[in-house]
């Protein structure tokens, strides 16, 4: 029936496609946003694992302290950022609005706030490295402040996109619930 040159159904000229059902835009939007959030959650998990590995390795003295530096203070509260990751992931399968809202709020508190605090905490050490070329903490031969600022730049972007896509997803879910209430 989809062939343009083959036989055609009797009584039609091929222009009767308007009666066919289409997927509503909020369902399409929901599916694409869920996919993006899952990708960002995966990157968030990788970043969290990097920070957790550094904290665990340095606290348990698994390697010498000149190989992996002592963690900065901001890294400990950042470890709580696993909570918004879990609640955000739990909200996706069943379109749980309350879990998504909790994830958005806790992402700001437990993910972005420690990163901003950390950027201020490491500022003096970054200035020292930039001005004098001296670093006192190292992670596998690299200046720890440089490595952690790179992690922070990626993490802030990931968390900002997570919040943005979560807000868009929340809007799509509210649109669908409003349409159901109208009917």
């Amino acid at each position: 029936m989809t062939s343009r040159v083959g036989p055609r159904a009797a009584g039609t000229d091929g222009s009767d496609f308007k009666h066919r059902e289409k997927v509503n835009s909020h369902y399409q939007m929901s599916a694409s946003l869920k996919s993006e959030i899952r990708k960002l959650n995966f990157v968030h998990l990788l970043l969290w694992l990097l920070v957790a590995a550094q904290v665990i390795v340095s606290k348990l003295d698994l390697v010498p302290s000149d190989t992996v530096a002592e963690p900065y203070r901001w890294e400990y509260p950042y470890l709580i950022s696993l909570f918004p990751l879990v609640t955000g992931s739990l909200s996706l399968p069943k379109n749980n609005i309350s879990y998504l809202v909790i994830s958005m709020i806790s992402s700001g508190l437990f993910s972005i706030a420690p990163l901003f605090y950390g950027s201020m905490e490491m500022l003096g050490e970054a200035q020292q490295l930039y001005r004098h070329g001296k670093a006192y903490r190292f992670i596998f031969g690299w200046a720890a402040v440089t490595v952690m600022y790179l992690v922070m730049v990626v993490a802030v972007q990931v968390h900002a996109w997570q919040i943005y896509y979560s807000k868009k997803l929340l809007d799509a879910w509210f649109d669908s619930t409003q349409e159901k209430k109208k009917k």
Side-chain angles (χ1 to χ4, degrees):
M1 288 302 211
T2 60
S3 172
R4 294 179 187 257
V5 293
R8 185 169 302 189
T12 181
D13 61 356
S15 63
D16 60 344
F17 58 88
K18 293 185 181 183
H19 73 281
R20 296 186 185 129
E21 291 185 25
K22 295 180 182 177
V23 177
N24 283 341
S25 64
H26 64 270
Y27 292 119
Q28 292 174 341
M29 179 75 73
S30 178
S32 65
L33 289 171
K34 283 180 182 183
S35 172
E36 293 298 320
I37 290 173
R38 283 186 182 105
K39 291 174 192 173
L40 289 169
N41 283 347
F42 179 72
V43 176
H44 178 187
L45 182 63
L46 290 177
L47 290 169
W48 185 88
L49 287 172
L50 283 173
V51 172
Q54 190 220 354
V55 170
I56 291 169
V57 164
S58 67
K59 286 301 174 189
L60 296 179
D61 290 327
L62 298 176
V63 294
S65 61
D66 57 342
T67 304
V68 175
E70 278 289 315
Y72 291 99
R73 287 182 299 200
W74 68 268
E75 294 179 64
Y76 299 110
Y78 185 77
L79 293 177
I80 304 171
S81 73
L82 193 62
F83 176 73
L85 175 69
V86 170
T87 56
S89 297
L90 290 175
S91 71
L92 297 180
K94 299 239 179 186
N95 296 355
N96 193 325
I97 291 174
S98 60
Y99 278 2
L100 189 63
V101 170
I102 289 170
S103 172
M104 290 170 59
I105 293 169
S106 61
S107 185
L109 291 174
F110 302 134
S111 300
I112 293 179
L115 293 171
F116 281 129
Y117 173 75
S119 67
M120 294 296 120
E121 178 188 2
M122 297 187 315
L123 187 60
E125 196 173 329
Q127 288 176 341
Q128 173 113 7
L129 179 65
Y130 176 71
R131 289 185 184 154
H132 306 293
K134 294 181 181 177
Y136 301 105
R137 293 179 174 191
F138 294 96
I139 298 177
F140 296 109
W142 294 80
V145 69
T146 305
V147 173
M148 296 316 289
Y149 266 122
L150 288 174
V151 168
M152 288 174 131
V153 166
V154 173
V156 165
Q157 291 178 17
V158 166
H159 297 309
W161 282 110
Q162 277 178 327
I163 292 172
Y164 174 75
Y165 285 142
S166 296
K167 173 66 173 110
K168 297 289 267 183
L169 184 61
L170 199 60
D171 292 343
W173 288 350
F174 272 126
D175 288 346
S176 67
T177 57
Q178 294 302 320
E179 287 180 15
K180 286 179 185 176
K181 287 182 181 178
K182 287 180 184 177
K183 292 181 181 181

